Amino acid sequence: MAEKMTFNELRRIKDSLPDGTMSRIASELGITTATVRNYFGGSNWKDGTSVGIHLERGPGGGVVMLDDTTILNRARNILDES
C-alpha cells in the first residue's frame, strides 16, 4: 500500500525512533540496515538498496511517495511500543 507524506514528516518519524531501531527493523525484515536508512532519506547505495521512495522537492522538505509502507509501519509499531 502506498502512502504520501512530506519528507519532514518521514524524518520526524525516523528521528523519534529509539537507538538501534534501524538494525532491529533490518533484522526483522531480512534486509540491510543501510536499506532501512535509505528508506528514511539516506543515500548509501553501496551497501543498501532502493526501497520505492519517490521525492518531489518542495516546501516541508518536499513530498515523499512510499510505494511500500512495510518499513514505515514497523517503525510506527516500534514508536507505539515505546
Side-chain angles (χ1 to χ4, degrees), residues 4-81:
K4 185 168 35 174
M5 65 177 48
T6 68
F7 182 74
N8 287 349
E9 289 173 308
L10 183 64
R11 293 298 288 189
R12 266 194 297 279
I13 291 170
K14 181 227 175 245
D15 292 342
S16 298
L17 293 168
D19 289 341
T21 299
M22 299 293 136
S23 296
R24 177 179 168 184
I25 292 173
S27 177
E28 290 174 1
L29 299 179
I31 57 179
T32 67
T33 302
T35 298
V36 176
R37 291 185 193 286
N38 289 348
Y39 189 86
F40 288 102
S43 58
N44 183 344
W45 307 118
K46 180 181 175 207
D47 297 324
T49 60
S50 175
V51 286
I53 180 172
H54 309 281
L55 179 62
E56 183 178 322
R57 305 263 179 229
V63 176
V64 176
M65 177 60 86
L66 303 166
D67 292 340
D68 183 339
T69 58
T70 303
I71 294 171
L72 179 62
N73 292 338
R74 191 63 200 111
R76 286 176 171 157
N77 289 342
I78 291 169
L79 286 173
D80 289 343
E81 292 171 4

